[in-house]
Amino acid sequence: MEGIAVISAFILITLVMVLFGIVRANLKICQPNEVLIFSGKQRRLPDGSSLGYRVIRGGRAFRVPIIERVDRLLLNTIPIDLMVANAYSKGGIPLTVRAIANVKIASNEPEINNAVERLLGKPLHDVQAIAKETLEGNLRGVLATLTPEEVNEDRLKFARTLVDEADNDLSALGLQLDTLKIQSVEDDRGYLDAIGRQRTAQIIAQAEIAEAQQEETARL
């Protein structure tokens, strides 16, 4: 009887350890800077459609062994250097614009579903390249609607217009734009320099007129 009890206890301990190992291997914890994608099992959505994956944002979830596979999408910020050369502005003046942007994979629906379908499994440099091409295309499109003066004098407005233009395209990819800053606006024809010199001359002339008027007033 003691032998049977020892064997039973050994079997029970073994089963508990095996069960613990299975749970440990398949219990996936989602870190704050990522989402987990459990694919391989169909789930029904409220609208009647179905998806072959589920998204976990924060917390933990259990992977169904054999049936499901788990992938991770990082939500870290991705810095992107933007530069478009000889992009024609409104009026036909070619400009060179440099900017810096920060994008990341969106964590909210439906954008996260777009990210799963288009970006899952892609390395970081591929995601960065896709975002860069999209933003540079939007940048050229926005430049075509603005005059060189508008681009150069109100860069905050220029950046806001670019953000609005890029938002839909990035959302379709499952990305979102965190920040965008215009660093420089240049042209090879000297158009902006000429405008700057003209404005400077106007300011100097106005200052001289104001000074002359003050002197005339003081003499009276």
Side-chain angles (χ1 to χ4, degrees):
M1 294 294 293
E2 291 182 1
I4 295 176
V6 170
I7 294 173
S8 298
F10 177 76
I11 293 174
L12 180 61
I13 293 173
T14 302
L15 289 175
V16 170
M17 292 179 64
V18 170
L19 181 61
F20 176 77
I22 293 174
V23 172
R24 183 177 180 181
N26 293 282
L27 183 62
K28 304 299 180 180
I29 298 176
C30 183
Q31 301 298 324
N33 65 332
E34 66 182 8
V35 293
L36 300 182
I37 313 300
F38 290 70
S39 55
K41 184 179 179 181
Q42 292 288 329
R43 68 184 183 95
R44 185 71 61 178
L45 299 179
D47 61 2
S49 60
S50 61
L51 281 178
Y53 60 87
R54 55 192 172 107
V55 179
I56 303 299
R57 295 185 293 272
R60 59 180 64 87
F62 188 79
R63 178 181 75 91
V64 179
I66 302 175
I67 295 177
E68 288 187 317
R69 166 182 169 176
V70 180
D71 294 287
R72 299 175 186 269
L73 277 175
L74 295 179
L75 304 180
N76 296 338
T77 299
I78 305 171
I80 299 175
D81 291 322
L82 302 173
M83 196 277 284
V84 295
N86 294 321
Y88 283 91
S89 60
K90 186 176 181 181
I93 303 298
L95 300 177
T96 296
V97 178
R98 292 178 175 84
I100 186 168
N102 287 317
V103 303
K104 67 179 182 179
I105 292 177
S107 59
N108 298 321
E109 293 184 350
E111 288 84 3
I112 185 62
N113 295 327
N114 296 335
V116 171
E117 295 171 4
R118 293 168 175 81
L119 304 177
L120 187 62
K122 292 185 180 296
L124 176 61
H125 61 82
D126 283 355
V127 176
Q128 194 173 34
I130 291 171
K132 179 181 175 68
E133 291 175 2
T134 301
L135 285 172
E136 287 181 347
N138 293 131
L139 183 53
R140 288 183 179 276
V142 171
L143 281 174
T145 66
L146 301 174
T147 65
E149 294 88 340
E150 291 173 323
V151 173
N152 190 51
E153 293 175 6
D154 194 346
R155 295 187 185 182
L156 288 178
K157 177 183 177 181
F158 177 35
R160 287 194 298 268
T161 304
L162 179 56
V163 169
D164 293 339
E165 180 74 17
D167 186 57
N168 289 335
D169 291 340
L170 291 176
S171 295
L173 294 170
L175 298 170
Q176 69 180 50
L177 183 60
D178 270 0
T179 60
L180 175 71
K181 182 178 181 181
I182 305 300
Q183 293 181 308
S184 66
V185 179
E186 304 167 357
D187 76 297
D188 295 335
R189 300 183 180 180
Y191 182 81
L192 294 176
D193 288 341
I195 292 176
R197 289 193 298 269
Q198 183 179 3
R199 295 283 171 83
T200 301
Q202 290 175 347
I203 292 173
I204 292 173
Q206 290 172 355
E208 291 175 347
I209 292 173
E211 184 179 358
Q213 290 175 342
Q214 290 176 356
E215 291 177 354
E216 182 67 23
T217 303
R219 284 195 294 266
L220 295 178

